[in-house]
Amino acid sequence: MTRRRTGRAQAWAELLRVSALFSVPGDALAGAAATGTRPGRGTLCAIGASLCLYEAGMALNDWADRTEDAAERPHRPLPSGRITPRAALTASVALTTTGLALASRAGRPSLAVATALATTVWAYDLGLKHTPAGPATMATTRALDLLLGATASTSGSGRPHPRAVHALPSAALLGAHTYAVTAVSRHETQGGSTRTPLAALAVTLAVAGAVAVAGAGAGAGAGAGTGAGTGAASGGVTGRRPAGTAASSVSLSGAPAPRPHPALPTRLPLPSRGLGTLLALAYARTPATLLLHAALNPSAALTERAVGGGIRATIPLQAALAARAGAPGTALALLGLVPAARALARKVSPT
């Protein structure tokens, strides 16, 4: 009986790709950092919703691909008979419902973003995945996931806060990375592509460069001018108020102002800027060698390894985005997930 339960748990772990779960919380945390707010209750709700919707997509993916997997991946949980298609679809529906319920706890704006995210996930798995729009659709899901964190962290009044738009650049960079990884993944069962891994490598280097340059620019330009008041427009960080200015808990739009990071000055300190650059380099290094190997020898095995490296690289990218937004604590916490993700990936494939 114990062996049977262990085998069933292993099957569900494979279906849900639990080793890839470590790449999910950073979306919401990077979104919160981009708005200059401290992670709070809304951020936790966004993380829970993201985890549920991510796993819903995994289960739905295998349900939709069960016929294809029977020919190309007969060892997968559905074609091998370890999990029934009905159970996988039921799990996807339940996880989607739970994810939307958690998002609703953070307010209606968060529910709206989560609904768009869930719709995109289902559209990808049920039809768009095998079309030219597949990579762009998957990139949209990651971008929306980061924006979910930004919205949930700033919409305490029940309506979106203007500061949430500051997360758009981070969402675009995360989406570009996801686009590249998804494009490579389309060849992981049969291999045969040299151009796609090379293009993904170019995108990876471009994203790393953009993160590093943006972090340096934020540090140099933030707080310019009076040096004491409004905070960086690009980072959404509230600076010190001039003496005699009354504190206000309401923004100009009428929505309560989100809580800024208490330790974030208008000018990013050198350690924070340096950390962002180092993390950008760590992000680029994670998939670079694997992508180069897949380009030189485009076999299915090396392509699959490159995809796994791209998934793991999501974590240092999220950490770099948090660091460039002036949240080094969040960045270091995210970086701490990397060893756990690597260890679990040895037991359960993230692809």
Side-chain angles (χ1 to χ4, degrees):
M1 180 66 71
T2 301
R3 184 177 299 178
R4 183 177 179 181
R5 288 179 179 175
T6 302
R8 188 169 180 81
Q10 176 68 24
W12 278 101
E14 292 178 23
L15 177 72
L16 299 176
R17 280 87 156 176
V18 293
S19 61
L21 274 179
F22 292 98
S23 71
V24 178
D27 290 349
L29 291 172
T35 65
T37 58
R38 243 167 93 178
R41 175 180 172 275
T43 313
L44 290 177
C45 290
I47 291 174
S50 297
L51 289 169
C52 288
L53 294 177
Y54 187 88
E55 293 292 48
M58 291 297 182
L60 184 63
N61 174 79
D62 277 26
W63 180 84
D65 286 353
R66 61 192 185 280
T67 302
E68 178 182 331
D69 285 345
E72 298 180 352
R73 294 177 170 182
H75 62 281
R76 295 292 302 161
L78 266 63
S80 66
R82 290 177 291 160
I83 296 177
T84 65
R86 181 178 181 180
L89 182 59
T90 300
S92 182
V93 172
L95 286 165
T96 300
T97 303
T98 303
L100 293 177
L102 286 171
S104 69
R105 301 288 294 175
R108 283 179 293 180
S110 300
L111 177 60
V113 177
T115 300
L117 173 57
T119 301
T120 307
V121 168
W122 279 70
Y124 175 83
D125 284 334
L126 296 181
L128 294 178
K129 176 169 53 178
H130 299 295
T131 71
T137 305
M138 181 56 72
T140 301
T141 64
R142 274 290 185 178
L144 284 171
D145 203 30
L146 189 145
L147 293 176
L148 173 60
T151 304
S153 300
T154 58
S155 59
S157 66
R159 52 183 173 178
H161 192 279
R163 189 171 291 181
V165 301
H166 293 155
L168 288 174
S170 293
L173 291 171
L174 183 61
H177 166 73
T178 305
Y179 185 102
V181 175
T182 306
V184 175
S185 73
R186 293 160 77 92
H187 303 278
E188 65 180 331
T189 58
Q190 297 179 347
S193 175
T194 296
R195 182 175 60 182
T196 305
L198 285 177
L201 178 59
V203 171
T204 299
L205 296 176
V207 169
V211 173
V213 170
T226 63
T230 58
S234 62
V237 180
T238 303
R240 293 182 178 180
R241 292 184 301 273
T245 301
S248 175
S249 61
V250 181
S251 67
L252 294 178
S253 64
R259 295 172 299 165
H261 273 280
L264 292 186
T266 55
R267 181 184 294 272
L268 296 183
L270 284 174
S272 183
R273 281 182 271 163
L275 178 62
T277 301
L278 288 175
L279 290 174
L281 293 174
Y283 153 69
R285 180 181 178 276
T286 302
T289 302
L290 296 174
L291 287 169
L292 187 58
H293 288 170
L296 296 175
N297 180 10
S299 64
L302 290 180
T303 302
E304 186 174 1
R305 288 185 61 190
V307 174
I311 294 173
R312 291 193 301 274
T314 304
I315 301 175
L317 174 57
Q318 294 161 338
L321 292 173
R324 81 162 189 163
T330 297
L332 292 175
L334 287 172
L335 202 61
L337 298 176
V338 173
R342 287 179 177 175
L344 192 55
R346 297 189 187 102
K347 298 181 180 180
V348 181
S349 173
T351 64

